[in-house]
Amino acid sequence: MKLMGTNPVLFKELKLRFRSFKSFNGMLFFLLAMCVFVFGYIFMTVTVSGTSYFRPSESFVLFAFLSYIQLGLVLFTAPGLTAGTISSEREKQTLPILLTTSQSSFQIISGKLLSSVAFLLFLILAGMPVYSLVFLFGGISPWDFIRIFLFLFVILLAFGSIGVMFSTLIRKTVVSMIATYGTMLFLSVVTGFLFIITMQMKMMNQTGTVVTPSYIGHFLASINPGVLFASFLSPGVRGMVEEMTKVDFPIWIGFLLFYGVITIIAILIAVKKLRVNTKRQK
């Protein structure tokens, strides 16, 4: 197997993606939207408070909003970039040509995945100068900044892998995108509702002074990106989850384990099924 640094599929995809004006136009509008939001928030806060300075507590609120904006960008963009990587090749009837080359299935899948991940990482890094304005006003530590971006990368890689997997398993790009976005909504929204319902049922069924840990509730909280980010931005959320579930286990470890396994399984399935589906189509 050739090294990842000499993956022709990856190089081709990067050239095609970064030579497109659509990519840079999308990046331009994203940065403009971030700038408008940041400076608009600062202007409104200073105007309402009647002061000429920006408080560290207000800077933390701005950091929290920007973190969730970046999370939303990853959750809604990663599936769209990866859910059509293989199915679009199949629809254009260029996949058989790609499979006749000397590239292995892993090189094809990893090249398609990493090109999409690289574009989103570039988009996130392009917004770092705007994002880092919060350091000018205090209230944010560099570790908070680094931790948010590390977990954004984990989320990006996991949902990107899921998109490539569905693109390999499903022949139609539209159906693949629906399946990928459905999985994303389930993991990021439905798990939050299930966590709330689980905790309510636990409190209703709890009798006397007997307190039993809710491992299901803790698992649902651990795999939800919104709950994880809330625990990073507010330590009280992490303590509240542990108090409600009675499970003394950091949710960020459960998050890494779950999405690490999901990423590996999705890539393995995509690699295994890439040539199988092509044979069946013939």
Side-chain angles (χ1 to χ4, degrees):
M1 181 181 295
K2 296 182 179 180
L3 297 175
M4 290 299 300
T6 58
N7 191 334
V9 178
L10 176 59
F11 288 162
K12 180 190 74 95
E13 292 293 327
L14 287 176
K15 288 180 181 179
L16 291 177
R17 192 174 297 277
F18 285 97
R19 284 178 178 177
S20 173
F21 285 103
K22 293 181 181 179
S23 301
F24 290 96
N25 287 336
M27 186 179 303
L28 173 64
F29 285 114
F30 172 71
L31 294 178
L32 287 176
M34 285 191 65
C35 290
V36 170
F37 177 81
V38 170
F39 291 107
Y41 178 82
I42 295 175
F43 175 77
M44 290 180 60
T45 303
V46 172
T47 302
V48 172
S49 62
T51 60
S52 58
Y53 56 88
F54 199 63
R55 299 183 181 89
S57 59
E58 297 166 344
S59 176
F60 182 80
V61 174
L62 177 60
F63 175 74
F65 276 123
L66 288 176
S67 298
Y68 275 101
I69 288 176
Q70 295 280 33
L71 177 61
L73 171 71
V74 170
L75 290 178
F76 285 96
T77 307
L81 289 176
T82 57
T85 52
I86 302 299
S87 58
S88 61
E89 295 279 356
R90 188 180 293 111
E91 290 175 347
K92 292 184 293 185
Q93 297 182 356
T94 56
L95 182 60
I97 300 176
L98 182 62
L99 295 179
T100 56
T101 63
S102 60
Q103 309 308 311
S104 64
S105 298
F106 180 77
Q107 283 185 301
I108 296 174
I109 294 297
S110 61
K112 295 285 188 178
L113 173 62
L114 292 179
S115 64
S116 301
V117 170
F119 175 74
L120 264 181
L121 282 178
F122 186 68
L123 189 63
I124 293 174
L125 293 176
M128 287 185 66
V130 182
Y131 207 111
S132 60
L133 285 175
V134 295
F135 288 106
L136 298 177
F137 307 102
I140 304 298
S141 66
W143 170 240
D144 294 329
F145 192 74
I146 295 173
R147 183 170 53 181
I148 290 294
F149 276 91
L150 286 177
F151 278 86
L152 278 176
F153 176 74
V154 173
I155 296 170
L156 168 60
L157 192 61
F159 284 102
S161 302
I162 293 173
V164 173
M165 179 190 69
F166 281 120
S167 181
T168 306
L169 296 175
I170 303 173
R171 297 181 179 180
K172 299 295 183 181
T173 301
V174 176
V175 182
S176 174
M177 285 190 175
I178 292 174
T180 307
Y181 276 107
T183 304
M184 181 272 296
L185 290 174
F186 176 81
L187 292 174
S188 59
V189 178
V190 178
T191 53
F193 286 108
L194 292 177
F195 170 71
I196 296 174
I197 294 173
T198 303
M199 292 298 98
Q200 289 179 345
M201 293 178 61
K202 180 178 179 295
M203 290 188 298
M204 292 175 59
N205 296 330
Q206 185 173 330
T207 59
T209 59
V210 179
V211 179
T212 58
S214 176
Y215 295 103
I216 296 178
H218 191 272
F219 173 75
L220 292 172
S222 298
I223 66 176
N224 187 280
V227 175
L228 177 75
F229 269 54
S231 67
F232 287 157
L233 299 172
S234 178
V237 174
R238 181 171 61 252
M240 182 187 67
V241 172
E242 294 179 356
E243 178 66 23
M244 294 173 64
T245 59
K246 303 300 179 183
V247 178
D248 188 14
F249 187 77
I251 62 175
W252 66 269
I253 297 180
F255 185 90
L256 286 179
L257 292 175
F258 177 79
Y259 282 99
V261 172
I262 287 294
T263 301
I264 295 174
I265 292 177
I267 293 176
L268 291 178
I269 291 175
V271 171
K272 184 177 181 180
K273 296 295 184 180
L274 177 62
R275 300 180 186 271
V276 173
N277 285 351
T278 304
K279 294 177 181 179
R280 289 177 179 176
Q281 186 178 6
K282 291 180 179 180

